[in-house]
Amino acid sequence: MTDVTRRLFMQAAGVSAVAVTHSARPARAAGAGLEGVVRVIASGNGAAATKKAWELIQEGADPLDAVVAGVAIVEDDPRDTSVGYGGLPNERGIVELDAAVMHGPTHKAGGVASLQNIRHPAQVALKVLQRSDHVLLVGAGALDFAKAHGFQEENLLTDHSRRIWLRWKETMSDRDDWLPDPAEAEPPVAEFFQKNSVRIAETGLLRFRRPTGTIHCSAINAKSSMSCTTTTSGMAFKIPGRVGDSPIIGAGLYVDNEVGSCGSTGRGEANLQNLSSFAGVELMRNGASPEDAGMEILRRIAKTTEPRLRDAQGRPDFNINFYLMAKDGRYAGVTMFGDADFAVTDEKGTRLEKCRPLFGKG
Ligand code: GLY
């Protein structure tokens, strides 16, 4: 999200500029443990979600219902091209969504993967948890299940996302029959490619890095009940049927009501290979603070990344972020690279805080 779109998003979400502060210090000391704390954390695109979820919890909602209602704001937002309606499509131009939910008090979970035409996959995942004997439904079966529960089908591809996809398709190879418009890409499309490109040190050339956005949201209520959800359109222009980490319990999210929660955004393949969110909760179970647990997951990913996905310094050439909250309310956001935010709502209001990076720059 650019600063401008973030600002618009905040305005749309009713989050005041005063309330949204960028903490100057890293998240390492964030969230002193508090009995009875009500707190919601999310990825940096989730300030509206944390605010909504926190308000619902204050009104008595279960934290799981609250986070699912919170992320629906982002699933509905066409400006967020990483989630729900307006999400970037697969390589054939079809939007395929992944989501999961996990409920701390019952340890139950639900998920959907490669779901087409339904804009609120987290709500379908919640139905899987509540109204099936299963944990994960995929593709046509997930769609049939959603329709059985009254979800309406619609085309999720916005014109903006279609234009980005078409530009990608027309420019990724000169060995096929798709020819790009000789004119420069229109500014919103050009901005997308610029934002998602990294400069290769050896050649000085920009290389497009496909985005893997997503929203994760975790909540704790005054009775120390925790729940979480992760919802996404997944890796842009993926092979049809590709499933990322978001709908996989233990990879893109996990909660143990006696320990804490962990969720992720970024390259899902790395989380599938490391079962990262489960690992984060287990690290906290063994005494790590949320921030130390998150940094350890990042180190494990950095260590196990295959050579094809390393930069000239040997670091992963992709980004990945974790959002962790302990049973006592302590919390942290961590990122592989650079300058990422995460969203928090608690009794101090709604704000963006800085994720602590493992490496200094993207
Ligand atoms: N983390 C989102 C994805 O890789 O699909």
Side-chain angles (χ1 to χ4, degrees):
M1 224 185 249
T2 63
D3 287 340
V4 172
T5 52
R6 176 179 284 116
R7 213 163 39 242
L8 288 170
F9 184 75
M10 294 301 195
Q11 282 165 3
V15 179
S16 79
V18 175
V20 178
T21 57
H22 292 253
S23 166
R25 67 183 162 78
R28 84 180 51 121
L34 289 171
E35 284 297 313
V37 65
V38 177
R39 180 167 286 140
V40 187
I41 66 170
S43 39
N45 55 352
T50 59
K51 182 173 184 287
K52 172 85 179 173
W54 191 84
E55 288 167 357
L56 288 171
I57 292 170
Q58 295 292 24
E59 290 164 14
D62 184 277
L64 183 55
D65 293 327
V67 293
V68 169
V71 299
I73 296 170
V74 184
E75 290 173 328
D76 278 332
D77 188 344
R79 292 166 299 181
D80 192 317
T81 55
S82 71
V83 180
Y85 178 67
L88 287 167
N90 67 20
E91 67 178 18
R92 281 193 218 139
I94 297 166
V95 180
E96 285 184 332
L97 305 178
D98 296 340
V101 298
M102 192 158 186
H103 185 238
T106 58
H107 208 64
K108 287 183 73 175
V112 289
S114 296
L115 176 64
Q116 296 180 8
N117 295 347
I118 304 290
R119 72 160 65 194
H120 294 127
Q123 292 177 12
V124 184
L126 182 57
K127 283 280 184 240
V128 172
L129 179 156
Q130 293 169 331
R131 302 285 291 275
S132 85
D133 186 38
H134 306 315
V135 170
L136 180 60
L137 298 178
V138 306
L143 179 57
D144 286 349
F145 180 83
K147 289 196 291 186
H149 282 280
F151 288 87
Q152 299 292 316
E153 283 194 84
E154 63 184 308
N155 179 15
L156 302 179
L157 188 67
T158 58
D159 201 49
H160 176 63
S161 288
R162 182 191 61 76
R163 285 168 192 269
I164 291 172
W165 165 77
L166 186 61
R167 185 82 185 172
W168 169 79
K169 192 163 180 62
E170 291 177 338
T171 56
M172 71 170 176
S173 172
D174 56 9
R175 296 192 203 168
D176 61 25
D177 300 329
W178 294 77
L179 301 178
D181 186 336
E184 287 293 305
E186 60 261 54
V189 174
E191 184 191 332
F192 168 84
F193 283 97
Q194 195 176 12
K195 191 180 123 206
N196 290 290
S197 295
V198 284
R199 197 165 293 285
I200 307 299
E202 299 80 37
T203 61
L205 296 174
L206 281 176
R207 193 184 115 203
F208 174 58
R209 194 159 61 179
R210 284 183 295 159
T212 47
T214 306
I215 177 168
H216 169 77
C217 187
S218 282
I220 187 166
N221 70 10
K223 294 180 182 155
S224 299
S225 285
M226 305 185 77
S227 286
C228 59
T229 183
T230 303
T231 174
T232 188
S233 50
M235 183 182 281
F237 323 132
K238 59 196 171 186
I239 294 175
R242 177 265 190 189
V243 173
D245 59 321
S246 303
I248 306 299
I249 302 303
L253 73 170
Y254 192 72
V255 59
D256 183 317
N257 211 45
E258 293 184 354
V259 179
S261 73
C262 179
S264 182
T265 60
R267 182 179 165 82
E269 280 72 8
N271 285 336
L272 290 167
Q273 288 166 317
N274 290 279
L275 212 55
S276 306
S277 292
F278 178 74
V281 172
E282 289 304 298
L283 287 160
M284 289 192 284
R285 188 194 305 281
N286 291 327
S289 68
E291 184 178 279
D292 288 347
M295 297 305 280
E296 171 59 16
I297 308 168
L298 292 172
R299 280 190 290 272
R300 289 182 187 182
I301 292 171
K303 193 170 162 193
T304 55
T305 294
E306 60 187 294
R308 177 178 67 88
L309 297 172
R310 290 179 184 273
D311 67 13
Q313 285 89 53
R315 309 171 304 183
D317 74 355
F318 55 83
N319 213 347
I320 192 159
N321 316 297
F322 294 94
Y323 316 96
L324 303 100
M325 187 152 60
K327 177 78 172 167
D328 62 8
R330 287 173 299 150
Y331 63 96
V334 300
T335 183
M336 188 68 81
F337 287 107
D339 194 25
D341 297 325
F342 69 107
V344 184
T345 300
D346 55 21
E347 76 285 355
K348 293 187 205 146
T350 297
R351 57 201 180 271
L352 293 176
E353 297 192 14
K354 290 291 176 203
C355 292
R356 182 177 172 190
L358 182 63
F359 299 114
K361 72 171 192 61

